[in-house]
Amino acid sequence: YYDQYNYITGVAILNACLALVGIFLLCVVLLRNLMASLIVLLTICMILGDKMGIMGLWNIDLNAVSVVNFVMAVGISVEFCIHITVAFMRAKGTREQRVTFAMVEVGSSVISGITITKFLGVMMLSFAKSEIFVIYYFRMYFAIVILGAAHGLMFLPILLSLIGPPTVAEEQGFFSAFFAFNAHDSQDSKPNVKASNDYSIMGANDYSSAPNYSSME
C-alpha cells in the first residue's frame, strides 16, 4: 500500500499531461483553430493549478483516489470551456460582440445544465458518513465545479475578448482557419445591427445561420 507514494507524483503528472494532450487534440478537431485550442488548454491548466492549491488548503493528500479525481477534473473542466469557445468561433462581429453572443447563447446553459446540476449532485456527498467520500470526493468535486464555473464563465470570456482568434467559416480551408490568429477579419464582417426590435449582437440574417445551443444539456 505505502509503495504507491514512491511514484504517485510521477503517475499524477503523466496521466494529467496525457489527458491534456487528448483534450487539445479534441479542441483542434472541434474548433479548427490553434489559438482557440491553446486558449482552452490554458484555461484548463489554470483550473488544475487552482485545484492543486485547493487540495493543499483542504488537506487532501495525493494518493490513488485523489489522483483519479484529479485526472477526471481535466475532462470535467472541458465542459465549462468548450461550448463558449465554439459559440465564439462561429459568431460574427468584433471580439466583444462575439463574446457577448457566446455568453447569451450558451452561458445560461453552462450555468443551469452544467454548473447547477453538478453542484447539486456534489452537495449530496457532503452528507456522507465516510470521511473518504467527504474528503476525496465531495471536496475535490466541489472545487472542480466552482473553479470550472469561475474560469469558464469569467476568465475565458475575458481572454477571448482580448486575444480571441477570428471567426472560422464553414467553407474556410482547414489550414487557413487553423493558423488564423489575428481577429482583423472580424472587423470586416461586422453584423448588421438594427436600432430596435432586433438582435443586439447579430443582424437577423446572420443570426438565422448561427448554431442553436438552446437544447444543450
Side-chain angles (χ1 to χ4, degrees), residues 126-212:
S126 64
F127 299 102
K129 296 181 180 180
S130 173
E131 290 190 5
I132 295 179
F133 282 95
V134 174
I135 296 175
Y136 294 105
Y137 289 94
F138 166 69
R139 293 182 181 181
M140 294 195 71
Y141 284 110
F142 179 80
I144 293 171
V145 173
I146 298 301
L147 293 174
H151 285 78
L153 296 172
M154 290 186 284
F155 173 78
L156 178 61
I158 295 175
L159 194 60
L160 290 173
S161 67
L162 295 175
I163 60 173
T167 301
V168 174
E170 293 293 336
E171 66 277 5
Q172 190 173 359
F174 177 80
F175 289 102
S176 61
F178 184 74
F179 293 105
F181 295 99
N182 297 323
H184 57 82
D185 57 341
S186 296
Q187 301 293 338
D188 301 331
S189 59
K190 288 184 180 180
N192 180 21
V193 181
K194 298 183 180 179
S196 61
N197 296 328
D198 207 344
Y199 309 108
S200 59
I201 301 162
M202 285 187 167
N205 294 332
D206 294 329
Y207 191 88
S208 61
S209 62
N212 183 14

Side-chain angles (χ1 to χ4, degrees), residues 21-206:
V21 170
I23 292 301
F24 176 75
L25 296 177
L26 177 64
C27 291
V28 168
V29 174
L30 293 177
L31 302 175
R32 297 200 307 159
N33 183 269
L34 178 60
M35 187 66 178
S37 302
L38 291 175
I39 289 176
V40 173
L41 187 66
L42 174 62
T43 305
I44 296 175
C45 289
M46 293 193 66
I47 294 175
L48 294 180
D50 292 341
K51 174 74 174 174
M52 289 187 289
I54 294 295
M55 290 176 64
L57 293 175
W58 238 343
N59 297 321
I60 302 176
D61 297 327
L62 193 65
N63 53 36
V65 178
S66 60
V67 166
V68 171
N69 292 330
F70 184 79
V71 175
M72 287 180 62
V74 179
I76 297 175
S77 300
V78 179
E79 296 186 73
F80 297 97
C81 306
I82 192 66
H83 302 294
I84 293 176
T85 309
V86 169
F88 174 83
M89 293 300 296
R90 295 183 179 179
K92 296 180 180 180
T94 62
R95 286 192 180 113
E96 291 77 11
Q97 290 171 328
R98 293 163 62 200
V99 167
T100 304
F101 171 77
M103 295 302 294
V104 169
E105 282 295 292
V106 302
S108 60
S109 298
V110 172
I111 294 175
S112 61
I114 299 176
T115 305
I116 295 179
T117 54
K118 282 183 170 55
F119 179 81
L120 294 176
V122 167
M123 288 303 298
M124 297 298 102
L125 294 173
S126 64
F127 299 102
K129 296 181 180 180
S130 173
E131 290 190 5
I132 295 179
F133 282 95
V134 174
I135 296 175
Y136 294 105
Y137 289 94
F138 166 69
R139 293 182 181 181
M140 294 195 71
Y141 284 110
F142 179 80
I144 293 171
V145 173
I146 298 301
L147 293 174
H151 285 78
L153 296 172
M154 290 186 284
F155 173 78
L156 178 61
I158 295 175
L159 194 60
L160 290 173
S161 67
L162 295 175
I163 60 173
T167 301
V168 174
E170 293 293 336
E171 66 277 5
Q172 190 173 359
F174 177 80
F175 289 102
S176 61
F178 184 74
F179 293 105
F181 295 99
N182 297 323
H184 57 82
D185 57 341
S186 296
Q187 301 293 338
D188 301 331
S189 59
K190 288 184 180 180
N192 180 21
V193 181
K194 298 183 180 179
S196 61
N197 296 328
D198 207 344
Y199 309 108
S200 59
I201 301 162
M202 285 187 167
N205 294 332
D206 294 329

